[in-house]
Protein backbone atom coordinates (compact mmCIF):
# COMPACT_ATOMS: atom_id res chain seq x y z
CA UNK A 1 0.00 0.00 0.00
CA UNK A 2 1.28 3.41 -0.96
CA UNK A 3 2.14 5.92 1.77
CA UNK A 4 -0.66 8.24 0.64
CA UNK A 5 -3.20 5.42 0.88
CA UNK A 6 -2.03 4.61 4.40
CA UNK A 7 -2.48 8.22 5.49
CA UNK A 8 -5.90 8.32 3.86
CA UNK A 9 -6.96 5.15 5.69
CA UNK A 10 -5.77 6.51 9.04
CA UNK A 11 -7.65 9.78 8.49
CA UNK A 12 -10.86 7.96 7.57
CA UNK A 13 -10.59 5.72 10.61
CA UNK A 14 -9.99 8.75 12.83
CA UNK A 15 -13.05 10.52 11.43
CA UNK A 16 -15.17 7.42 12.06
CA UNK A 17 -13.99 7.23 15.68
CA UNK A 18 -14.73 10.93 16.26
CA UNK A 19 -18.19 10.63 14.70
CA UNK A 20 -18.97 7.57 16.79
CA UNK A 21 -17.90 9.41 19.96
CA UNK A 22 -20.05 12.41 19.05
CA UNK A 23 -23.05 10.18 18.39
CA UNK A 24 -22.62 8.47 21.75
CA UNK A 25 -22.26 11.83 23.53
CA UNK A 26 -25.38 13.20 21.82
CA UNK A 27 -27.39 10.07 22.60
CA UNK A 28 -26.51 10.09 26.31
CA UNK A 29 -27.21 13.80 26.72
CA UNK A 30 -30.41 13.67 24.70
CA UNK A 31 -31.70 10.81 26.85
CA UNK A 32 -30.75 12.70 30.00
CA UNK A 33 -32.51 15.82 28.75
CA UNK A 34 -35.59 13.80 27.86
CA UNK A 35 -35.70 12.35 31.38
CA UNK A 36 -35.32 15.81 32.89
CA UNK A 37 -38.15 17.22 30.75
CA UNK A 38 -40.42 14.32 31.59
CA UNK A 39 -39.65 14.65 35.29
CA UNK A 40 -40.34 18.39 35.33
CA UNK A 41 -43.74 17.76 33.84
CA UNK A 42 -44.54 14.71 35.92
CA UNK A 43 -44.18 15.08 39.72
CA UNK A 44 -44.92 11.39 40.21
CA UNK A 45 -41.96 10.46 38.03
CA UNK A 46 -39.68 12.85 39.93
CA UNK A 47 -40.45 11.05 43.19
CA UNK A 48 -40.51 7.55 41.76
CA UNK A 49 -37.79 4.98 42.40
CA UNK A 50 -36.19 5.76 39.02
CA UNK A 51 -35.94 9.52 39.54
CA UNK A 52 -32.36 10.81 40.01
CA UNK A 53 -33.79 13.53 42.25
CA UNK A 54 -35.68 11.25 44.63
CA UNK A 55 -33.48 11.82 47.70
CA UNK A 56 -33.66 15.61 47.45
CA UNK A 57 -37.41 15.57 46.85
CA UNK A 58 -38.03 13.39 49.89
CA UNK A 59 -35.37 15.04 52.03
CA UNK A 60 -36.66 18.57 51.45
CA UNK A 61 -40.39 17.83 51.25
CA UNK A 62 -40.33 18.78 47.58
CA UNK A 63 -38.52 22.14 47.85
CA UNK A 64 -35.33 20.98 46.12
CA UNK A 65 -36.57 19.15 43.04
CA UNK A 66 -33.53 19.23 40.78
CA UNK A 67 -30.58 18.09 42.90
CA UNK A 68 -29.37 14.67 41.88
CA UNK A 69 -28.90 11.92 44.46
CA UNK A 70 -25.10 12.11 44.45
CA UNK A 71 -25.17 15.83 45.11
CA UNK A 72 -27.80 15.46 47.82
CA UNK A 73 -25.69 12.85 49.59
CA UNK A 74 -22.80 15.31 49.71
CA UNK A 75 -25.05 17.99 51.15
CA UNK A 76 -26.32 15.60 53.81
CA UNK A 77 -22.78 14.54 54.67
CA UNK A 78 -21.92 18.17 55.24
CA UNK A 79 -24.82 18.54 57.68
CA UNK A 80 -23.74 15.41 59.51
CA UNK A 81 -20.08 16.39 59.76
CA UNK A 82 -20.28 20.12 60.49
CA UNK A 83 -19.82 20.67 64.25
CA UNK A 84 -22.15 23.06 66.04
CA UNK A 85 -19.56 24.35 68.48
CA UNK A 86 -15.90 25.25 68.14
CA UNK A 87 -15.40 23.85 71.64
CA UNK A 88 -18.37 23.63 73.99
CA UNK A 89 -20.59 26.60 73.04
CA UNK A 90 -19.92 27.96 76.54
CA UNK A 91 -21.26 31.38 77.49
CA UNK A 92 -19.29 34.35 76.22
CA UNK A 93 -20.00 37.79 74.69
CA UNK A 94 -22.18 37.65 71.59
CA UNK A 95 -19.51 38.86 69.16
CA UNK A 96 -17.27 35.95 70.17
CA UNK A 97 -19.97 33.29 70.64
CA UNK A 98 -21.52 33.78 67.20
CA UNK A 99 -18.08 33.89 65.58
CA UNK A 100 -17.07 30.59 67.17
CA UNK A 101 -20.26 28.56 66.88
CA UNK A 102 -23.05 27.43 64.53
CA UNK A 103 -21.57 27.92 61.10
CA UNK A 104 -23.54 27.31 57.89
CA UNK A 105 -23.97 23.59 57.21
CA UNK A 106 -25.89 23.72 53.93
CA UNK A 107 -25.55 25.42 50.56
CA UNK A 108 -28.26 26.96 48.42
CA UNK A 109 -26.68 27.20 44.97
CA UNK A 110 -28.86 30.13 43.86
CA UNK A 111 -29.12 32.11 47.09
CA UNK A 112 -29.65 35.80 46.48
CA UNK A 113 -29.63 38.95 48.55
CA UNK A 114 -33.07 40.55 48.64
CA UNK A 115 -33.48 44.12 49.85
CA UNK A 116 -30.96 46.88 50.08
CA UNK A 117 -27.23 46.41 50.54
CA UNK A 118 -25.95 46.90 54.06
CA UNK A 119 -28.28 46.67 57.05
CA UNK A 120 -31.81 45.60 56.16
CA UNK A 121 -31.34 43.17 53.29
CA UNK A 122 -31.55 39.39 53.69
CA UNK A 123 -30.17 36.35 51.89
CA UNK A 124 -32.90 34.11 50.41
CA UNK A 125 -32.39 30.48 49.43
CA UNK A 126 -33.02 29.90 45.72
CA UNK A 127 -35.74 32.51 45.02
CA UNK A 128 -36.47 30.79 41.71
CA UNK A 129 -38.12 27.96 43.64
CA UNK A 130 -40.52 30.45 45.22
CA UNK A 131 -41.21 31.86 41.76
CA UNK A 132 -41.97 28.38 40.41
CA UNK A 133 -44.30 27.69 43.31
CA UNK A 134 -46.21 30.94 42.73
CA UNK A 135 -46.42 30.36 38.98
CA UNK A 136 -47.79 26.87 39.62
CA UNK A 137 -50.69 28.43 41.51
CA UNK A 138 -49.55 27.47 45.01
CA UNK A 139 -49.08 31.05 46.19
CA UNK A 140 -46.26 32.91 47.89
CA UNK A 141 -46.61 34.09 51.49
CA UNK A 142 -44.11 36.33 53.27
CA UNK A 143 -44.20 37.55 56.88
CA UNK A 144 -41.88 40.43 57.77
CA UNK A 145 -41.61 41.10 61.52
CA UNK A 146 -40.08 44.46 62.42
CA UNK A 147 -39.93 47.31 59.90
CA UNK A 148 -39.04 50.63 61.57
CA UNK A 149 -40.83 52.27 58.63
CA UNK A 150 -38.44 50.67 56.13
CA UNK A 151 -40.21 48.55 53.52
CA UNK A 152 -37.30 48.09 51.11
CA UNK A 153 -37.17 44.34 51.80
CA UNK A 154 -40.85 43.89 51.03
CA UNK A 155 -40.60 45.99 47.87
CA UNK A 156 -37.60 43.95 46.74
CA UNK A 157 -39.56 40.70 47.24
CA UNK A 158 -42.17 41.92 44.75
CA UNK A 159 -39.61 43.31 42.34
CA UNK A 160 -36.94 40.61 42.46
CA UNK A 161 -38.85 37.43 43.33
CA UNK A 162 -42.51 37.66 42.35
CA UNK A 163 -45.20 40.36 42.20
CA UNK A 164 -47.63 37.60 43.15
CA UNK A 165 -46.21 37.30 46.68
CA UNK A 166 -48.60 38.21 49.49
CA UNK A 167 -46.62 40.14 52.11
CA UNK A 168 -47.62 41.01 55.66
CA UNK A 169 -45.47 43.33 57.75
CA UNK A 170 -45.74 43.54 61.54
CA UNK A 171 -44.46 46.27 63.85
CA UNK A 172 -46.14 47.56 67.04
CA UNK A 173 -43.62 50.37 67.54
CA UNK A 174 -44.47 52.78 64.71
CA UNK A 175 -48.16 53.41 65.32
CA UNK A 176 -51.22 52.09 63.57
CA UNK A 177 -49.90 52.88 60.09
CA UNK A 178 -46.53 53.51 58.46
CA UNK A 179 -45.16 57.03 58.19
CA UNK A 180 -45.45 56.81 54.41
CA UNK A 181 -48.51 55.15 52.83
CA UNK A 182 -47.75 51.81 51.18
CA UNK A 183 -48.19 52.03 47.45
CA UNK A 184 -48.38 48.32 46.66
CA UNK A 185 -51.55 46.46 47.53
CA UNK A 186 -49.58 43.23 47.93
CA UNK A 187 -48.03 44.63 51.15
CA UNK A 188 -50.28 44.81 54.21
CA UNK A 189 -49.15 46.44 57.45
CA UNK A 190 -50.30 45.29 60.90
CA UNK A 191 -49.44 47.14 64.14
CA UNK A 192 -48.87 43.84 65.93
CA UNK A 193 -45.87 42.38 67.68
CA UNK A 194 -44.73 38.77 67.89
CA UNK A 195 -44.83 37.13 71.31
CA UNK A 196 -45.24 33.80 73.10
CA UNK A 197 -48.71 34.79 74.28
CA UNK A 198 -51.60 36.94 73.17
CA UNK A 199 -51.65 40.28 74.95
CA UNK A 200 -53.15 43.31 73.24
CA UNK A 201 -51.11 44.14 70.15
CA UNK A 202 -48.77 41.22 70.80
CA UNK A 203 -49.78 37.87 69.36
CA UNK A 204 -48.38 34.40 68.84
CA UNK A 205 -47.54 33.38 65.29
CA UNK A 206 -50.31 30.81 65.37
CA UNK A 207 -52.87 33.47 66.33
CA UNK A 208 -51.61 35.81 63.62
CA UNK A 209 -51.97 33.09 61.00
CA UNK A 210 -55.46 32.27 62.19
CA UNK A 211 -56.51 35.94 62.23
CA UNK A 212 -55.28 36.35 58.65
CA UNK A 213 -56.88 33.08 57.51
CA UNK A 214 -53.48 31.54 56.77
CA UNK A 215 -53.88 28.52 59.01
CA UNK A 216 -53.49 26.02 56.19
CA UNK A 217 -50.75 27.83 54.30
CA UNK A 218 -46.97 27.60 54.33
CA UNK A 219 -44.99 30.75 55.08
CA UNK A 220 -42.38 30.84 52.34
CA UNK A 221 -40.27 33.47 54.12
CA UNK A 222 -40.41 34.54 57.76
CA UNK A 223 -38.14 37.56 58.07
CA UNK A 224 -37.54 38.75 61.63
CA UNK A 225 -35.70 41.73 63.06
CA UNK A 226 -37.54 42.57 66.25
CA UNK A 227 -34.70 43.62 68.56
CA UNK A 228 -34.83 40.59 70.84
CA UNK A 229 -38.40 39.33 70.62
CA UNK A 230 -37.02 36.14 69.03
CA UNK A 231 -36.05 34.65 72.40
CA UNK A 232 -39.54 34.86 73.88
CA UNK A 233 -41.46 33.87 70.75
CA UNK A 234 -39.50 31.34 68.70
CA UNK A 235 -41.00 28.25 70.35
CA UNK A 236 -44.36 29.34 68.97
CA UNK A 237 -42.96 29.40 65.42
CA UNK A 238 -42.27 25.70 65.76
CA UNK A 239 -45.74 24.70 66.98
CA UNK A 240 -47.34 21.72 65.30
CA UNK A 241 -49.27 22.79 62.23
CA UNK A 242 -47.13 25.85 61.46
CA UNK A 243 -45.12 25.41 58.27
CA UNK A 244 -42.27 27.80 57.51
CA UNK A 245 -39.85 27.19 54.65
CA UNK A 246 -37.24 29.89 55.34
CA UNK A 247 -36.38 31.92 58.42
CA UNK A 248 -34.23 35.02 57.86
CA UNK A 249 -33.41 36.51 61.22
CA UNK A 250 -31.17 38.91 63.08
CA UNK A 251 -30.27 37.45 66.48
CA UNK A 252 -29.51 39.82 69.35
CA UNK A 253 -27.22 38.78 72.22
CA UNK A 254 -28.59 35.64 73.97
CA UNK A 255 -25.15 34.15 74.60
CA UNK A 256 -24.47 34.98 78.25
CA UNK A 257 -26.00 34.17 81.63
CA UNK A 258 -27.49 30.97 82.96
CA UNK A 259 -27.44 27.83 80.88
CA UNK A 260 -28.94 26.64 78.69
CA UNK A 261 -28.17 29.80 76.74
CA UNK A 262 -31.10 31.27 74.76
CA UNK A 263 -29.02 31.20 71.57
CA UNK A 264 -28.10 27.54 72.08
CA UNK A 265 -31.69 26.50 72.77
CA UNK A 266 -32.83 28.43 69.71
CA UNK A 267 -30.30 26.76 67.41
CA UNK A 268 -30.96 23.27 68.74
CA UNK A 269 -34.74 23.71 68.48
CA UNK A 270 -34.56 24.76 64.84
CA UNK A 271 -32.12 21.97 64.01
CA UNK A 272 -34.43 19.36 65.55
CA UNK A 273 -37.29 20.66 63.37
CA UNK A 274 -35.28 20.19 60.17
CA UNK A 275 -33.88 23.71 59.69
CA UNK A 276 -30.34 24.03 58.37
CA UNK A 277 -28.16 27.14 58.12
CA UNK A 278 -27.33 28.33 54.62
CA UNK A 279 -26.04 31.82 55.42
CA UNK A 280 -24.47 33.72 58.31
CA UNK A 281 -23.02 37.21 58.59
CA UNK A 282 -22.32 39.59 61.47
CA UNK A 283 -24.07 42.95 61.55
CA UNK A 284 -21.06 45.21 62.03
CA UNK A 285 -22.99 48.32 61.05
CA UNK A 286 -26.06 48.11 63.25
CA UNK A 287 -24.65 46.62 66.45
CA UNK A 288 -20.90 46.22 66.15
CA UNK A 289 -21.01 42.45 65.69
CA UNK A 290 -23.06 41.82 68.85
CA UNK A 291 -25.97 40.70 66.70
CA UNK A 292 -25.80 38.45 63.69
CA UNK A 293 -27.81 37.58 60.60
CA UNK A 294 -28.74 33.94 60.08
CA UNK A 295 -30.67 32.34 57.24
CA UNK A 296 -32.32 28.95 57.66
CA UNK A 297 -34.17 26.70 55.23
CA UNK A 298 -36.37 23.82 56.36
CA UNK A 299 -35.73 20.33 55.07
CA UNK A 300 -37.42 17.16 56.25
CA UNK A 301 -36.66 16.17 59.84
CA UNK A 302 -33.14 14.79 60.45
CA UNK A 303 -34.60 11.31 60.96
CA UNK A 304 -36.47 11.40 57.65
CA UNK A 305 -33.44 12.72 55.76
CA UNK A 306 -31.14 10.03 57.14
CA UNK A 307 -33.68 7.28 56.54
CA UNK A 308 -34.16 8.52 52.98
CA UNK A 309 -30.46 8.25 52.21
CA UNK A 310 -30.24 4.75 53.69
CA UNK A 311 -33.40 3.49 51.96
CA UNK A 312 -32.60 4.99 48.57
CA UNK A 313 -29.05 3.70 48.67
CA UNK A 314 -30.33 0.21 49.51
CA UNK A 315 -32.81 0.40 46.62
CA UNK A 316 -29.98 1.06 44.18
CA UNK A 317 -27.80 -1.88 45.27
Amino acid sequence: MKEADKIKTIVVQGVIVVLAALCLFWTVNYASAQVSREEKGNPQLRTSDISPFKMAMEGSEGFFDDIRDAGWKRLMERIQTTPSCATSCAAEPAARWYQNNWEPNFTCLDERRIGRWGDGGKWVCDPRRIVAKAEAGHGCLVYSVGSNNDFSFEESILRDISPACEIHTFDPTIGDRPAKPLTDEQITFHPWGLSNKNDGKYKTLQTIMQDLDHGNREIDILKIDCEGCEWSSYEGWLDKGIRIRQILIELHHGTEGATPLPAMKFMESLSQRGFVIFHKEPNTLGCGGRCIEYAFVRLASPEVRLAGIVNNTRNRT
Side-chain angles (χ1 to χ4, degrees):
M1 183 182 291
K2 296 181 178 180
E3 189 67 26
D5 291 336
K6 289 182 179 179
I7 294 174
K8 183 177 179 181
T9 300
I10 292 172
V11 170
V12 170
Q13 290 175 340
V15 170
I16 292 173
V17 170
V18 171
L19 290 174
L22 289 173
C23 288
L24 178 62
F25 176 81
W26 181 86
T27 301
V28 170
N29 281 274
Y30 176 78
S32 176
Q34 285 293 99
V35 170
S36 295
R37 281 194 290 269
E38 290 176 5
E39 286 168 338
K40 287 183 180 296
N42 187 343
Q44 291 183 342
L45 179 59
R46 293 181 69 79
T47 57
S48 71
D49 288 337
I50 65 171
S51 171
F53 311 111
K54 180 177 174 61
M55 290 185 188
M57 287 286 288
E58 291 181 347
S60 68
E61 300 175 345
F63 185 70
F64 294 101
D65 62 352
D66 56 2
I67 299 177
R68 293 182 177 272
D69 288 352
W72 188 253
K73 283 184 183 180
R74 289 193 293 270
L75 288 170
M76 296 304 99
E77 287 170 0
R78 180 181 171 192
I79 294 173
Q80 295 293 322
T81 58
T82 300
S84 302
C85 308
T87 53
S88 62
C89 284
E92 57 184 335
R96 289 181 58 83
W97 196 92
Y98 288 119
Q99 182 67 51
N100 290 333
N101 305 303
W102 292 94
E103 293 292 340
N105 58 357
F106 189 81
T107 297
C108 295
L109 295 180
D110 298 321
E111 70 171 285
R112 184 175 178 185
R113 189 171 181 84
I114 300 298
R116 66 187 185 188
W117 295 103
D119 192 18
K122 304 290 183 184
W123 288 92
V124 175
C125 178
D126 297 5
R128 63 184 177 84
R129 303 184 191 281
I130 301 175
V131 174
K133 178 185 173 186
E135 290 179 347
H138 301 303
C140 164
L141 182 61
V142 178
Y143 279 13
S144 178
V145 180
S147 70
N148 196 29
N149 276 309
D150 177 8
F151 296 88
S152 57
F153 174 78
E154 290 86 337
E155 293 164 352
S156 183
I157 288 281
L158 298 175
R159 181 178 63 251
D160 299 325
I161 297 184
S162 173
C165 286
E166 178 183 344
I167 305 174
H168 294 266
T169 302
F170 308 90
D171 196 326
T173 69
I174 63 174
D176 289 339
R177 56 184 59 86
K180 292 175 61 177
L182 297 173
T183 58
D184 198 302
E185 62 181 13
Q186 291 295 99
I187 305 174
T188 304
F189 176 79
H190 307 274
W192 307 337
L194 194 58
S195 180
N196 62 343
K197 61 181 180 180
N198 299 313
D199 185 10
K201 288 187 174 182
Y202 290 86
K203 304 172 183 283
T204 66
L205 182 59
Q206 187 172 61
T207 296
I208 288 174
M209 295 185 72
Q210 290 173 348
D211 288 351
L212 298 178
D213 198 23
H214 295 157
N216 295 323
R217 294 183 62 180
E218 176 181 70
I219 300 175
D220 294 282
I221 296 174
L222 175 60
K223 170 257 182 187
I224 301 179
D225 185 358
C226 59
E227 306 303 321
C229 84
E230 59 268 22
W231 308 126
S232 62
S233 65
Y234 76 85
E235 292 181 350
W237 316 343
L238 307 176
D239 282 347
K240 186 176 181 181
I242 293 180
R243 293 180 296 126
I244 305 169
R245 178 57 61 185
Q246 299 189 45
I247 297 176
L248 318 177
I249 186 169
E250 183 176 79
L251 296 177
H252 305 80
H253 310 289
T255 65
E256 297 182 87
T259 56
L261 299 172
M264 191 67 178
K265 287 182 61 179
F266 174 86
M267 294 293 189
E268 289 179 335
S269 294
L270 264 64
S271 178
Q272 291 165 3
R273 301 311 197 283
F275 285 94
V276 291
I277 304 167
F278 69 88
H279 200 93
K280 169 187 177 181
E281 63 183 22
N283 185 339
T284 58
L285 178 63
C287 49
R290 293 183 302 277
C291 53
I292 190 162
E293 301 279 354
Y294 272 99
F296 301 84
V297 62
R298 192 191 84 245
L299 309 180
S301 69
E303 295 80 7
V304 170
R305 293 200 307 267
L306 182 59
I309 290 177
V310 173
N311 292 339
N312 283 289
T313 300
R314 184 182 298 121
N315 290 339
R316 284 164 169 73
T317 59

